[in-house]
Structure formats: structure tokens, C-alpha cells
Amino acid sequence: MIKKLSLVSLFTLLPASYYFAQTTVSAYLKDADGKPIERAEVDLKGKDNDVTADKIGYFQFVDLMPGHYQIVITKPNYETKVMEFDVMDSEKKKDLGTITLYSALTSADQGLTIIDNNGSDDEDSNSGQASTVGLLQSSQDVFNRIASFDLGAYWFRPRGIDGRTSENMMNGVSMVKSDNGNVDFSNWGGLNEIVRYPEISTNHSPSEYAFGGASGVIYKNTKASEYRKGFQATYSITNRNYRQRVSLRYTSGMSKKGWAFTIMGAKRWAEEGIQEGTFYDAYGTYLGIEKKFNDNHTITFNAFASPYRRSTASPSTQEVYDYRGVHYNSYWGWQDGEKRSERVRKGFQPIFQLQDFWKINKKSNLWTTASYQFGKDKGSRLDWQNAQNPSPTYYKKLPSYYLNSIIYSQFHNNTPADQYTALLDGYNEANNNWANNNTDVTQINWTNLYAANRNSADGSARYFLVNDVSDDKVFNAATHYTYNFNDKTRFLLNVSYQNFKSEYYREINDLLGANYVLNVDPYADSNRPGSTGFYNLNDTQTQKHVGDKINYDYILRRQEVKVNPGLKLSTGQFDIFVSALAGYSTSSREGLFQNYLYQNTSFGKSKDYNYWNYGLKGQIVYRLNGRNFFVYNGAYFSQAPFLDDIFINGRVNNYAVPNIKNAVVSANDLSYVISTPFLKLRATGYIVNTQNDTNVQRFFADGLTLSVDNSDTGGVEDKTASAFVTQTMSNVNKRNMGAELGVDVKVLPTLSLQGVASWGEYKYTNNPNVYISSDVMAAPYANLGTAYIKDFKVGGTAQKAFSAGFRYNSPKYWWFGASWNYLDDNNLDPSAILRTAEFIQNNNSSTPFVNLNDAKVSQYMQQVKLPSSFFVNANVGKSWMIGKYYVLISGSVNNILNNRKYITGGFEQIRSSNGNIDFENDYNSKYPNFAPKYWYTQGRSYFVNLQVRF
């Protein structure tokens, strides 16, 4: 519908000749692909009237007097257009023709670093941190746009909501993994021009395409005919996650016979990234085929294949950063003059999708999709048997270990003089090595690892590389039905089915010069005296070689059905959207190894764990007038636990977390929205309550003595865990509440000022239950009781964030922008073990440790607060039309002032896990042996992008 705003004229007071001299001015708006741009705002400068382009991009002004005029055309994600024209006395109509708006590329891939902890089983996976950079993409809302890019570059997470409550959909089906609830964006890595500009329902607002969770629904269709006909080439350089990127896309356009093809290839690479010893080598390919049978029926085929190979960077303690700087990475070392990393991830999991679009009649449509994904993801790491930890940051190799030992010996005054001298010499040597960066010590010493294997008396490996492998097979089917009762009422129905199956196992990657790896647990005599120690009692071969499976092998399965009806209607000044959910899932584990510690519970299929999900979402928009709105979003729903949440130690047994339940989320927000050509504002208050959540963390524990029930042998045993353990918190309650403000003010036709404020309070609201499981316990788990974390803040993101900036859009098709960004109130997630009775109570006497009192307990239990910081970002760009060629160059610089003091995340180490004198001395030292590990922001970074269309 065309919106017309006319000047009010008193015709009886005007001469007839003057009235007939007034003019109608019109034009069509289109993008670079020639497609109409709807809902763009067109402002006539110096006048009170403005118009909005209709669905075909058409707009007009009526009753314009003769004279000179200027119009400003604005639409999110497009460059602002400023045009001037003259109206002559003799003109009754003036056609400005077709006006082209070009993309501002605000959602281009920025090459940002990703913290990778997927599938890791060591202490580095205890962060619970996942990137949200680019997740929200660039929406029409100024708050979401700035939160995603300017603040998101520093790991800001809007409303502090766990990303596992989002829904990310590609061509109608969910891309969320059933094992951990995350989305593997590497499956379409590098294909930015294909997956850009999705439709987004932010936070817990309802969506037309899926019910979603508390952190939004992202929906993207990749129809081959949607892309601009011809070629598009892109080249990028950066100093972030990778160094260079090239891509080429070709689209045929729709032929007369109804065929369209789009094909794209991309490569991203870095011999070394911004972090020391990291590399990147990734490809992205896409094929889209579309067949249009008629105006009512279209079928598309989409294939994504993005193989990659890259290394990851380590977190470190503050001591290590003080010695070696924030770009230090402990995962590499020199070998034959080249840097070699132990942590290399590689994967290839292609996706094939067939989608049918059927316009049944004028009122109803049906979209149906079938999708299949398969392939392996592998992550390597060093392992060892009967040898010392090879990590250069192992606590006994750092200067602090010797210094703390000296302090401890002085406290007890019981260390012989010769041992004291040895400790002092050890400190001086370690301090010298780290201060002067002796890479034989500060990095992995591959030469020593090979030498240890060559000197092995029986030829078995002391050190070797393993791959932790996930072999996925995922089938999805979904349908999306719409029925329009009339122009104001619409019915929606989404039905989806997912069948997830993945085999997880460990395989030998490299023997590092040894003949074989011993297929027997070297700690079997202490874990279970008299046992064989075989990781798999059904495989008694003692020697394993490259490619052989070792340690664990199991399958996780999950089937899930969701039904999501919805209704949208308009009545009077209200727009209402109601969405409901009914879902059912069944999950199980099948062990392929019979582990010697869990002979009765490791092999074979577990019982099925079945969950029903229900939910209701609603949105009410009240239009005060055409520019002022109130918007309410409410949601109440349950979410079944993911597979990794259900099985407490899935690698070696079928045991589930006791009394695990569906998480229940209730969320409400209320917004006031202003939308005019000169001012866009959203002010929102929100509260999100989560109950019965499950939190799983894995780390290394040293000296954790537990009394556990052994269901295989009977009786109660004291077990000391000096190995990798799994910590599970169940029945976790959280409350996320706060306020958001986003403002965009157009002070000039070409200059906009933007500001964002986010003020949140994200807390645990109860004391959850804590369970510990470890291979060495030879028991399903140990119940540690209650973790006293009520009123502790939820970690992983800044709870206070602010941004202020500007953007200048020149009529000559160039722009420049800059922003100041401030983040505060960021905390480490509290470690559950440190805040249980295990920390303060002696297991042997069942009484508190004698050296502890209430003041000390409060001190040791206090949360780790991370420093606040501010950053300055800038971006610039220019586009040209050179004949038929469209050329665009853009660039951005983050953290211009090179701030390297901001900690984006981390985790507390839990090795000495009780409150005895050793812990107290360690806690109070300058560099504790088991201090928290951090990730730091990486300093100044840049991204430059060149794009050519022809």
C-alpha cells in the first residue's frame, strides 16, 4: 500500500493557476540486484512530510511547489542516499526513475577470533564460554546491531543469556547440535555472501519459523535465484583469526525455463594468526540449484561443504601472561625449525538440503525441507603414560611453584637446608627461562618428547598425540505452513523432526617415534587392584597404533519432534502474535567399549531418557501512532537437557545425572519504541528466570578425596582424584534482569549519532546440587551436596556495557564511523567444588579444617571479578559504479588504543580442592599454583575488505 502524506491546502483561497502548478514526484527503490526495497524511509528536507516506500519500492510526494528539493533515503543495512532535484513550473509529474541503494556490508565477516573449547576434556574446557560475535548479525535495531559487532567483539552477550537457548535455522531446519546445544558455524564457514542477512527474532520474541528459546531465532533461506546475477569477487586481509580470505560467487539468474544456479567458493588462511603458533586453513563451498515449475511451485537444492584445519590457542594464568604477554600460546613448540601445535582441529561435515515451496492457493503456502549432514570433526591433543605432563605451563614448571614451595617451607620450618637450596636454584632457573623466553622451556619441547619415546625400554610411547573424534549423522525434516484468513489474521504451523546419531571415540594420531601405545590404563593397580586395566575388555590387544581406537568409544542418539502453531492478528491499534510449542525427545547412549572400571555399565545401550517440552510465547504491539509504540514480549517454556547434560561421564559409562529435569524458562520484557526519519529509539526492561538448569564442566583435579559408593563392587570407598573429572551442577536457578537503551539520532542528512546502554544483573538464585565423576573413582559419581553460590553472579559476559558513536554517510557513496565502548562487571563463573562442604570439612574427621574460620571461608569463596575497560573502534568504506562494475572497499579497526588489559573470560582451576593449609598458602601467594586461567583481548586488530561485482 502506498503511503501518501499531502500538504494541506485551502483550495478556495488559492488561484486555480497556482493549484495546477503543483507537482507529483515519484521513484522506485531497488538494490544492487535489481530487487525492490520496501519500507525504506524517504525524508523531504525542510518539510514536515515524509513517506515510506511500499512493497515494490515505490514512493511519491504530491502537491510539491516549484523549487529546489533534497531528499534523504534511509534503510538499515543500506547506505544512506541523499538526492537533489528541481521542480519546474510546467511540470505536473516528475519521475526520478529507479534509485539504487547499495549494501553497507555491516554484517560482513570480520575474521574475529573464536575461543574453541568444543569437545575438549581438559581443564581448558572449563570456561563455558562461546562466541556470540556475528550471531545476531545486523538487525534493524540499533541496540542489537551495536551489541553484536562493537560490543560483541569483546565477548559481550546481550542479557547474559546462554547461547544454547537460541535457534539457528538454515533453509527451514535447525542447525543446533543435540549433544551440546551449540551451532557449528564452521559448517558454512567463509560463505558470508550466501548466509548474510537472515531474518531475526531477537531474545524471546516469537518467530514465524520456529518456537526458539530465550536468545532468539535466526532464519535463513539460500534460494539460488535470490542472489545478484553475475559474479562477485571478494578479497580480505586481517590480523585476527585468519590473515587472508578470497571468495568468488556466480549466479546465473532465473532462465526462461525456470532454472537458477548459484555457486560459491571461498578460502581463508593464515600461516600464523594473531596468537602465537596458530594457523588457519579453511575452505567453503556452496551449490544452490533452483527449479521454478510455475509461479506457485519451486524446488531448491542446497549443498554446503566447508572443510577446515586450524590450531587453537590456550588460556593461561596471570603469571604466564606477565612473563610472555597476551599473545602467548602454550600449545606449540619448535620441531625441525617449524612451529608445531598439539591442538589441531579439522573437520568436514557437509550438508545437503532439498526444499519445496508450494503456493497452495491465494491464502495458503507450504514449505517443506529434508536435510542430511554427515562427517567427522577431530581435535588433537597430547597424551602421556608413565610420564610428566608435557605442557610448558604445568604448575611444577613455573617459577611460582618453587617460590610457593619456599614460602611453604618457611611457614612450616621443616625443610632441610639442601632442599631449600634446591628450591631456590629451581626458582632462579625457571625465572630466567621464562623471563628470557627459552622456548625449550616456555613452549612444548618436541625434541624431548621424541627422545623419551626412543628411550622407552619396552618401545611403548611415553608421549603421543590422540584425536578426539565425533562422527555425526544428522537427518532433519521440517514443514512450514501459513494460512491468511484475511489481511489482518494469519495462522502459522511449523512441524520438525530431527534424528541425531554421533559416535565419539579417541584414536591414535601420532606415536612420536614410539612403536605403539599401551592399551592398558597405567593407573589400573591403584584404581582397581587386581584388574586387567583394559580400556575395552572385549579387545585384549595390548598394543595400539596410528588410527586405532583407544580409551573410549560410544554412540549418542536423540530423536526429537516439535510442533509449533502460531497466530498473528491486527485489531485496532494492536498487533498480536501468539506462538505455542509441544515437543518430545528421546535420548540414549550405547557403549562400544566395556571399560574395566565399569564392567556392568559401560557396554551396550542405556535406557531411553524421554522428555516432553511445552511452551507459549506472545507479543503485543500497541501503536500510539505511526512513530511511537509499546512492545511486550512474554515467554514460558521448558527445554529438555542436551545429551552432554544427561550422561555424567558418557565416555565410560551409562550413568545419568541424578534427578535431571527439563529446564524451565520464564521471560518478560517491555519496550518503548520511537521510529522517525530523525530519531530511532528503543528502551527496554526485561527479566528472565531459569529453573532446573544443568551445568557441566570438565577439568583436572589434584588431591580431591571423595567417599563414593561403588555399585559394581559394593561398599563405600575413599577415592583420591588426580585426573580429569566431570563436575555437574543440577537444579540450577538463575535470574537475568536489566534494561537496554538504543538511540540513533540523525543530526544531519548524512550524519547519525548512536548510543547504547545495557545495565544487567545476572545471578544464581539458589544453591544447586553438585556431582563429581572421574574414571579413577570406579564409581558412577560422588554427591558433593550443595554448592553455596546463591547470589553469585553468572560469569561469561560483562553485565554493564555502553557504547557511543557516529556514522557519516556521504552522498558520494563513502562512509566513516567510530565508536567508544565500555564494558564492566564481568566475573568468572564460580567453581562449584570450592563452594561446597568438601572445601571446608575434613573427610577423615567430618569436622572443619582447624585452620579455617568464617572470615577465611568468606574470603576464599568470594567471586573473581574481572577488570573493566574501554575500547575505540572505527570503520570506513567507499563504493563506486564503474560501468557495469560495482566496487566496494571497506575497513575496520577494533581496539585502536591497543588495550591489552581486558579479560574476556576464563575459569577457576580446581586441583587442590579442600581448605587445608596448602590451599591457604597457595591462595594468598602472588601467583598461586592453581590460579584462574584467562583469555585476554588481543590488542589492536584490523579488517580490510575489497569487493567487485560484475
Side-chain angles (χ1 to χ4, degrees):
M1 182 178 64
I2 303 173
K3 180 182 178 183
K4 301 179 180 179
L5 295 179
S6 303
L7 294 174
V8 178
S9 302
L10 297 176
F11 299 137
T12 57
L13 301 179
L14 296 176
S17 59
Y18 191 45
Y19 168 69
F20 287 114
Q22 294 173 334
T23 305
T24 297
V25 177
S26 62
Y28 288 88
L29 300 179
K30 294 186 177 181
D31 63 14
D33 298 337
K35 295 183 178 181
I37 298 177
E38 62 176 312
R39 307 297 299 170
E41 295 178 347
V42 187
D43 173 42
L44 186 65
K45 295 300 295 176
K47 305 295 181 180
D48 294 331
N49 55 336
D50 63 275
V51 299
T52 301
D54 65 11
K55 291 185 177 180
I56 61 173
Y58 178 80
F59 72 88
Q60 71 174 14
F61 292 96
V62 298
D63 297 340
L64 293 189
M65 305 286 290
H68 182 78
Y69 293 91
Q70 183 184 69
I71 58 174
V72 180
I73 307 170
T74 58
K75 182 175 174 64
N77 297 336
Y78 292 87
E79 300 171 5
T80 296
K81 183 94 168 185
V82 181
M83 290 187 61
E84 298 182 2
F85 62 90
D86 293 304
V87 173
M88 310 303 293
D89 290 337
S90 59
E91 289 182 300
K92 292 185 178 181
K93 293 184 178 180
K94 187 176 187 68
D95 185 2
L96 299 180
T98 298
I99 300 173
T100 302
L101 300 185
Y102 294 101
S103 167
L105 289 186
T106 53
S107 63
D109 175 20
Q110 296 294 294
L112 294 164
T113 301
I114 302 298
I115 293 177
D116 188 339
N117 55 23
N118 183 32
S120 176
D121 69 340
D122 60 13
E123 67 269 30
D124 300 348
S125 71
N126 192 23
S127 68
Q129 181 165 328
S131 169
T132 59
V133 176
L135 178 64
L136 293 178
Q137 304 271 338
S138 178
S139 74
Q140 296 184 8
D141 184 277
V142 61
F143 180 91
N144 290 328
R145 184 171 65 251
I146 292 175
S148 298
F149 293 100
D150 289 286
L151 298 173
Y154 310 105
W155 304 98
F156 173 70
R157 194 167 66 227
R159 303 190 181 184
I161 301 298
D162 185 349
R164 300 196 309 168
T165 67
S166 68
E167 183 71 86
N168 197 300
M169 305 186 74
M170 187 72 71
N171 297 312
V173 298
S174 174
M175 293 288 103
V176 176
K177 297 193 67 176
S178 292
D179 55 353
N180 55 27
N182 294 321
V183 177
D184 190 353
F185 294 97
S186 63
N187 289 327
W188 50 88
L191 302 174
N192 312 91
E193 291 82 358
I194 296 296
V195 299
R196 182 176 295 150
Y197 306 137
E199 296 184 48
I200 303 170
S201 297
T202 58
N203 305 311
H204 60 271
S205 62
S207 166
E208 292 192 7
Y209 305 103
F211 185 81
S215 58
V217 175
I218 300 173
Y219 182 90
K220 176 62 183 175
N221 260 333
T222 59
K223 297 176 69 174
S225 63
E226 285 189 344
Y227 304 100
R228 177 187 177 274
K229 183 178 179 180
F231 289 91
Q232 177 174 299
T234 304
Y235 174 71
S236 308
I237 57 173
T238 180
N239 68 337
R240 295 174 182 171
N241 201 20
Y242 52 83
R243 295 290 185 173
Q244 299 182 78
R245 174 182 180 265
V246 294
S247 70
L248 181 65
R249 187 189 74 194
Y250 170 74
T251 296
S252 66
M254 186 64 71
S255 71
K256 294 181 179 180
K257 294 185 178 181
W259 288 95
F261 302 87
T262 293
I263 187 170
M264 180 177 174
K267 177 177 172 60
R268 295 167 294 162
W269 73 96
E271 293 185 6
E272 185 170 49
I274 194 170
Q275 295 292 91
E276 297 174 353
T278 60
F279 68 87
Y280 203 102
D281 186 19
Y283 296 85
T285 60
Y286 167 78
L287 173 63
I289 303 173
E290 182 175 347
K291 172 58 178 174
K292 182 178 180 180
F293 297 100
N294 51 55
D295 290 341
N296 297 327
H297 194 194
T298 300
I299 291 180
T300 67
F301 171 78
N302 296 281
F304 301 85
S306 299
Y308 69 89
R309 183 175 178 270
R310 57 184 173 84
S311 58
T312 60
S314 66
S316 294
T317 62
Q318 189 59 51
E319 175 186 15
V320 172
Y321 285 125
D322 286 346
Y323 276 111
R324 302 306 326 142
V326 299
H327 292 158
Y328 173 78
N329 174 21
S330 67
Y331 290 158
W332 69 273
W334 291 102
Q335 182 178 352
D336 298 329
E338 296 185 359
K339 292 181 178 180
R340 181 181 182 182
S341 175
E342 62 149 318
R343 302 294 176 98
V344 178
R345 297 198 65 85
K346 61 180 180 180
F348 182 48
Q349 296 180 313
I351 304 170
F352 301 95
Q353 300 179 322
L354 192 65
Q355 191 169 22
D356 180 86
F357 298 86
W358 180 26
K359 184 177 181 181
I360 301 173
N361 51 48
K362 292 182 179 180
K363 290 189 174 183
S364 57
N365 295 275
L366 182 67
W367 301 355
T368 304
T369 307
S371 173
Y372 184 67
Q373 180 180 11
F374 65 95
K376 297 180 180 180
D377 183 271
K378 299 183 177 183
S380 70
R381 59 179 296 272
L382 273 170
D383 203 352
W384 58 96
Q385 292 184 354
N386 299 313
Q388 190 183 61
N389 190 328
S391 171
T393 57
Y394 180 55
Y395 76 102
K396 290 185 177 180
K397 297 180 181 180
L398 296 174
S400 58
Y401 170 75
Y402 299 96
L403 185 60
N404 292 339
S405 297
I406 292 172
I407 295 173
Y408 178 80
S409 65
Q410 290 175 336
F411 183 89
H412 286 279
N413 195 27
N414 61 358
T415 303
D418 57 339
Q419 292 184 21
Y420 183 89
T421 300
L423 289 173
L424 184 60
D425 292 341
Y427 168 76
N428 290 331
E429 181 180 2
N431 182 67
N432 182 66
N433 287 328
W434 279 92
N436 295 293
N437 194 25
N438 178 359
T439 55
D440 288 341
V441 174
T442 61
Q443 304 296 153
I444 293 173
N445 194 319
W446 292 102
T447 300
N448 286 352
L449 303 188
Y450 275 86
N453 285 347
R454 286 195 303 268
N455 295 330
S456 173
D458 57 1
S460 67
R462 295 294 176 261
Y463 298 98
F464 52 99
L465 280 171
V466 296
N467 288 328
D468 290 312
V469 184
S470 63
D471 186 356
D472 296 346
K473 294 177 177 62
V474 186
F475 173 75
N476 281 284
T479 187
H480 171 71
Y481 173 76
T482 62
Y483 182 84
N484 296 318
F485 292 97
N486 49 53
D487 291 341
K488 295 185 177 182
T489 307
R490 189 181 197 190
F491 172 74
L492 309 158
L493 178 63
N494 300 300
V495 180
S496 65
Y497 167 77
Q498 183 178 88
N499 188 318
F500 176 90
K501 175 185 176 182
S502 187
E503 181 180 0
Y504 304 85
Y505 58 90
R506 178 169 290 173
E507 66 179 11
I508 307 298
N509 175 302
D510 193 332
L511 293 172
L512 304 183
N515 296 327
Y516 63 91
V517 173
L518 188 65
N519 189 31
V520 174
D521 185 355
Y523 301 103
D525 288 341
S526 60
N527 292 342
R528 175 167 287 179
S531 63
T532 62
F534 282 112
Y535 298 114
N536 181 14
L537 293 176
N538 298 321
D539 179 7
T540 57
Q541 182 180 354
T542 59
Q543 298 182 8
K544 291 294 180 180
H545 304 88
V546 172
D548 290 343
K549 295 179 181 179
I550 194 171
N551 293 115
Y552 66 89
D553 186 8
Y554 66 102
I555 294 173
L556 292 181
R557 292 184 176 90
R558 185 187 185 105
Q559 295 187 69
E560 185 169 28
V561 177
K562 294 180 180 179
V563 180
N564 168 220
L567 184 67
K568 301 181 72 173
L569 59 94
S570 295
T571 175
Q573 292 178 277
F574 290 92
D575 293 331
I576 301 171
F577 187 179
V578 179
S579 177
L581 170 70
Y584 176 79
S585 67
T586 179
S587 304
S588 65
R589 174 193 182 273
E590 180 183 0
L592 303 180
F593 276 12
Q594 186 177 14
N595 189 281
Y596 80 100
L597 288 172
Y598 305 94
Q599 298 181 26
N600 301 325
T601 55
S602 58
F603 185 74
K605 187 177 180 298
S606 72
K607 75 172 188 177
D608 291 332
Y609 293 86
N610 304 320
Y611 296 92
W612 285 94
N613 284 329
Y614 301 95
L616 186 66
K617 288 186 174 183
Q619 180 182 79
I620 301 175
V621 178
Y622 175 68
R623 302 184 301 274
L624 289 172
N625 49 48
R627 296 179 175 181
N628 294 266
F629 311 85
F630 284 103
V631 181
Y632 166 77
N633 291 291
Y636 183 88
F637 61 91
S638 63
Q639 180 169 306
F642 296 103
L643 287 161
D644 283 353
D645 298 336
I646 296 173
F647 298 101
I648 197 166
N649 194 7
R651 292 188 171 184
V652 292
N653 61 54
N654 289 332
Y655 289 109
V657 175
N659 302 315
I660 189 170
K661 303 175 183 177
N662 292 43
V664 177
V665 178
S666 62
N668 295 273
D669 68 33
L670 182 63
S671 300
Y672 173 60
V673 179
I674 300 175
S675 180
T676 76
F678 305 103
L679 172 64
K680 299 186 187 305
L681 178 147
R682 175 169 69 84
T684 302
Y686 64 87
I687 181 168
V688 181
N689 287 308
T690 305
Q691 295 179 302
N692 301 330
D693 203 5
T694 302
N695 180 284
V696 179
Q697 296 177 328
R698 294 182 174 89
F699 51 85
F700 194 91
D702 192 2
L704 176 59
T705 302
L706 304 168
S707 297
V708 298
D709 295 320
N710 191 322
S711 60
D712 283 345
T713 62
V716 178
E717 302 177 46
D718 285 340
K719 290 290 182 179
T720 299
S722 294
F724 294 116
V725 301
T726 301
Q727 169 192 281
T728 302
M729 287 195 299
S730 68
N731 189 35
V732 179
N733 295 344
K734 295 177 288 187
R735 183 187 65 208
N736 297 50
M737 63 183 300
E740 300 170 339
L741 176 66
V743 182
D744 187 329
V745 181
K746 191 177 293 296
V747 295
L748 295 172
T750 55
L751 179 64
S752 296
L753 302 181
Q754 291 122 12
V756 157
S758 176
W759 188 277
E761 183 180 76
Y762 320 140
K763 288 186 175 183
Y764 293 98
T765 58
N766 74 326
N767 295 318
N769 301 320
V770 184
Y771 305 93
I772 287 291
S773 176
S774 173
D775 298 351
V776 303
M777 288 164 47
Y781 53 83
N783 186 345
L784 300 190
T786 300
Y788 298 97
I789 63 171
K790 184 179 180 181
D791 293 329
F792 278 65
K793 295 189 175 183
V794 178
T797 183
Q799 302 200 13
K800 312 292 187 298
F802 306 90
S803 179
F806 71 90
R807 181 180 174 91
Y808 176 80
N809 291 282
S810 169
K812 303 295 184 180
Y813 301 108
W814 64 269
W815 76 88
F816 174 72
S819 66
W820 170 88
N821 307 279
Y822 177 80
L823 297 103
D824 194 10
D825 198 9
N826 196 0
N827 306 270
L828 292 190
D829 237 0
S831 166
I833 293 180
L834 278 181
R835 293 159 180 92
T836 64
E838 289 285 339
F839 174 77
I840 61 174
Q841 182 169 291
N842 189 319
N843 287 334
N844 295 323
S845 62
S846 298
T847 59
F849 290 105
V850 294
N851 60 294
L852 289 181
N853 54 43
D854 290 343
K856 289 183 177 180
V857 170
S858 297
Q859 178 187 5
Y860 298 155
M861 286 189 174
Q862 68 182 350
Q863 193 164 16
V864 178
K865 183 175 176 61
L866 304 178
S868 60
S869 202
F870 72 89
F871 307 90
V872 178
N873 300 343
N875 61 85
V876 65
K878 176 75 171 78
S879 64
W880 301 265
M881 285 297 299
I882 305 175
K884 295 183 178 180
Y885 292 84
Y886 172 73
V887 180
L888 182 144
I889 185 168
S890 61
S892 64
V893 181
N894 283 354
N895 194 5
I896 293 174
L897 302 180
N898 201 27
N899 181 347
R900 298 188 181 187
K901 297 181 179 180
Y902 184 67
I903 298 172
T904 59
F907 54 91
E908 292 181 294
Q909 291 194 88
I910 314 299
R911 301 208 183 194
S912 295
S913 53
N914 53 48
N916 59 20
I917 193 67
D918 296 327
F919 180 94
E920 185 173 4
N921 281 330
D922 188 55
Y923 182 94
N924 291 317
S925 65
K926 179 181 179 181
Y927 294 127
N929 290 341
F930 306 119
K933 285 192 173 184
Y934 303 118
W935 282 280
Y936 269 84
T937 189
Q938 299 171 344
R940 185 185 300 113
S941 63
Y942 64 85
F943 186 90
V944 179
N945 191 75
L946 173 66
Q947 184 181 104
V948 180
R949 300 175 188 168
F950 55 95

